[in-house]
Amino acid sequence: MKASRIIINGILIFIAIGVFFLIMEMAGLSDNIYLRLVNFVFVIYGINRTIKSNFENNIHGYFTNIGAALLTGLISLVLSIFSFMLYAEYKGGEAYLQNFADTYIFGGSNPSPQQFSIGLFIEGLAGIVVTSFALMQYWKDKVEKINTVDDRAHNPH
C-alpha cells in the first residue's frame, strides 16, 4: 500500500468535490440535496482508482486494499469538512450554515458549527465505508489471494 497513492487520490476527490460545490454555490443550487448526491461519483472514482492502482502494482489482500480505500476516502473527507467550515466562516458562520441545516441528515434545527462538522463527518464516513465495501466486492476476486495470509508479519508486500 503506497501512502502517496492514497494521499493523491484523496486530494483528487477533495478537489473534485470542492469544485463541484463551488459551481453549485455560484448557480444557487447548493441547498439541493439531490445534486449533492453527485459527490458520491467523485468518491467512487477516487476510491476505485486507489484499489485499481494497487491491483496493477500487484498489491493484493482484501484488508490491505480496503484499508487503502478507507484511508483515501478519509483524507478527502477531512480536507472537505475543514475547507467547508472555513468557507462557511468566511460566508457568515452560523447564519450561513443554517441554509444547509435542514437538508443534512444530522442537521436539525439550529446546529453549532461543531455539531454541523460532526454531522458531516458521520454522513461522509458512512458513505465512504459503504462505497469502499461495495467496490471491494467488485475487486474482491482480483485482489484477494485465497489461502494466503494478509498481514505484514506473514506476507510482506
Side-chain angles (χ1 to χ4, degrees):
M1 173 166 60
K2 285 183 137 180
S4 61
R5 173 180 307 134
I6 293 168
I7 293 169
I8 289 169
N9 289 333
I11 291 172
L12 285 175
I13 296 169
F14 160 70
I15 291 170
I17 289 173
V19 169
F20 182 68
F21 175 80
L22 289 175
I23 290 170
M24 285 182 20
E25 181 80 10
M26 287 188 291
L29 300 170
S30 58
D31 60 341
N32 187 329
I33 191 167
Y34 300 109
L35 286 177
R36 284 201 315 256
L37 293 175
V38 174
N39 290 347
F40 273 114
V41 172
F42 307 125
V43 174
I44 291 168
Y45 172 76
I47 290 175
N48 188 61
R49 185 177 160 160
T50 296
I51 298 170
K52 182 179 179 183
S53 296
N54 282 351
F55 174 71
E56 290 170 352
N57 290 322
N58 292 320
I59 298 173
H60 299 290
Y62 188 86
F63 294 111
T64 301
N65 282 285
I66 193 104
L70 291 169
L71 283 173
T72 300
L74 192 61
I75 287 170
S76 69
L77 177 62
V78 169
L79 289 173
S80 296
I81 291 174
F82 182 73
S83 297
F84 177 70
M85 295 315 288
L86 287 175
Y87 182 78
E89 191 63 35
Y90 170 75
K91 294 292 271 187
E94 288 189 43
Y96 179 76
L97 289 177
Q98 293 313 308
N99 297 334
F100 302 102
D102 293 332
T103 60
Y104 280 92
I105 294 171
F106 294 104
S109 60
N110 192 13
S112 70
Q114 294 79 15
Q115 291 170 326
F116 199 83
S117 297
I118 291 169
L120 279 177
F121 184 79
I122 292 169
E123 284 184 37
L125 190 60
I128 289 166
V129 168
V130 168
T131 302
S132 297
F133 278 103
L135 285 171
M136 281 307 297
Q137 291 306 308
Y138 171 76
W139 285 99
K140 182 179 174 184
D141 293 335
K142 297 172 179 72
V143 299
E144 188 174 24
K145 299 294 183 185
I146 304 300
N147 296 326
T148 60
V149 178
D150 184 21
D151 83 34
R152 293 187 183 276
H154 296 98
N155 187 16
H157 292 104

